[in-house]
């Protein structure tokens, strides 16, 4: 549709084939100046920066250990990498995230026999819809400040915990399952005005 798609990674990217400049420090000076007209309201939300989350400890350990393991035991590193690639690590919720989920209306979607937990915020009568799609090992409430800001304006905001993430069922997943949940959500809510994806969720958002 004619909605906007914003992908926010550790390096922020604006998708839709218009801007992908890499480092967050360049985002305001290049991406938003050139493409501010796509959504002035989102440009005014500094809370987009909250998506540059601190790296959880398990990821730091993997980042440090893998280069060494690849050199001394490449086969073991390969098997371990394959195992981890499809199994997200759940991280604990912050107090702000718990409060946001408590204020949400919940609904369910499904991947085969697994229940996917979705959330919505904002005014039911709103005619503008925003959707957030979290990244690998992320969760629906991750951008709590952004969701609160959008819901306080004119948007009805939707998000879901992907397969094997947060409150959703499962232990393994991949990008095509994220895409399938997103398609189910769109069938449920109709046209989407603003689609925001973080990291892994940005890839799924483009499908």
């Amino acid at each position: 549709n004619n909605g906007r798609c914003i992908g926010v990674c550790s390096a922020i990217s604006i998708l839709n084939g218009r801007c992908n400049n890499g480092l967050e420090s360049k985002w305001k000076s290049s991406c938003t100046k050139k493409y501010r007209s796509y959504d002035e309201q989102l440009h005014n939300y500094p809370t987009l920066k909250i998506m540059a989350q601190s790296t959880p400890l398990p990821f730091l350990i993997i980042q440090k250990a893998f280069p060494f393991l690849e050199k001394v035991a490449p086969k073991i590193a390969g098997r371990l990498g394959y195992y981890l690639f499809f199994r997200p690590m759940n991280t604990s919720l912050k107090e702000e995230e718990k409060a946001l989920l408590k204020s949400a209306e919940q609904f369910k979607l499904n991947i085969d026999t697994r229940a996917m937990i979705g959330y919505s915020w904002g005014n039911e009568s709103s005619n503008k819809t925003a959707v957030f799609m979290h990244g690998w090992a992320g969760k629906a409430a991750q951008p709590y400040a952004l969701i609160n800001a959008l819901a306080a304006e004119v948007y009805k905001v939707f998000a879901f915990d992907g397969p094997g993430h947060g409150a959703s069922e499962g232990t393994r997943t991949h990008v095509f399952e994220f895409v399938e949940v997103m398609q189910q959500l769109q069938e449920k809510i109709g046209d989407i005005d603003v689609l925001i994806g973080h990291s892994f969720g940005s890839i799924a958002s483009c499908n």
Side-chain angles (χ1 to χ4, degrees):
N1 56 36
N2 292 323
R4 270 75 61 191
C5 175
I6 298 179
V8 190
C9 310
S10 54
I12 292 177
S13 304
I14 294 184
L15 303 175
N16 236 0
R18 293 188 174 95
C19 185
N20 187 5
N21 277 12
L23 298 177
E24 181 179 357
S25 60
K26 295 180 180 179
W27 175 59
K28 279 192 176 180
S29 61
S30 57
C31 292
T32 53
K33 279 184 182 177
K34 191 171 183 180
Y35 302 108
R36 185 179 295 128
S37 61
Y38 291 116
D39 201 325
E40 283 287 345
Q41 293 186 65
L42 279 181
H43 172 71
N44 290 331
Y45 290 142
T47 48
L48 277 171
K49 283 192 172 182
I50 205 161
M51 293 310 304
Q53 300 284 333
S54 58
T55 305
L57 180 60
F59 286 93
L60 289 174
I61 294 172
I62 291 170
Q63 287 172 3
K64 298 295 183 183
F66 248 82
F68 173 76
L69 188 59
E70 284 178 320
K71 291 178 182 177
V72 299
K75 288 185 178 179
I76 293 175
R79 285 195 291 268
L80 180 59
Y82 181 82
Y83 177 87
L84 294 173
F85 189 80
F86 295 101
R87 291 169 175 83
M89 297 178 186
N90 268 322
T91 54
S92 57
L93 289 166
K94 296 179 180 179
E95 290 304 314
E96 295 91 341
E97 293 170 342
K98 290 178 182 177
L100 181 65
L101 294 181
K102 198 177 232 184
S103 69
E105 291 185 22
Q106 285 194 20
F107 58 91
K108 286 186 179 181
L109 302 168
N110 291 283
I111 292 285
D112 49 59
T113 60
R114 292 167 290 166
M116 304 294 111
I117 307 302
Y119 309 90
S120 65
W121 300 267
N123 193 328
E124 288 287 347
S125 62
S126 174
N127 60 359
K128 284 194 174 183
T129 301
V131 172
F132 169 68
M133 205 169 189
H134 68 74
W136 191 258
K139 40 202 171 292
Q142 200 169 347
Y144 51 87
L146 178 59
I147 288 174
N148 280 328
L150 287 168
E153 296 288 337
V154 295
Y155 289 94
K156 179 73 174 176
V157 187
F158 294 87
F160 59 84
D161 288 327
H165 292 75
S168 291
E169 295 178 348
T171 57
R172 296 175 53 131
T173 192
H174 49 75
V175 68
F176 299 110
E177 289 189 337
F178 268 63
V179 172
E180 185 177 342
V181 180
M182 183 65 221
Q183 289 171 341
Q184 287 185 37
L185 178 61
Q186 188 163 17
E187 288 173 7
K188 175 183 174 66
I189 66 177
D191 290 342
I192 298 170
D193 295 291
V194 178
L195 176 58
I196 304 167
H198 175 227
S199 190
F200 186 84
S202 299
I203 301 170
S205 298
C206 291
N207 289 277

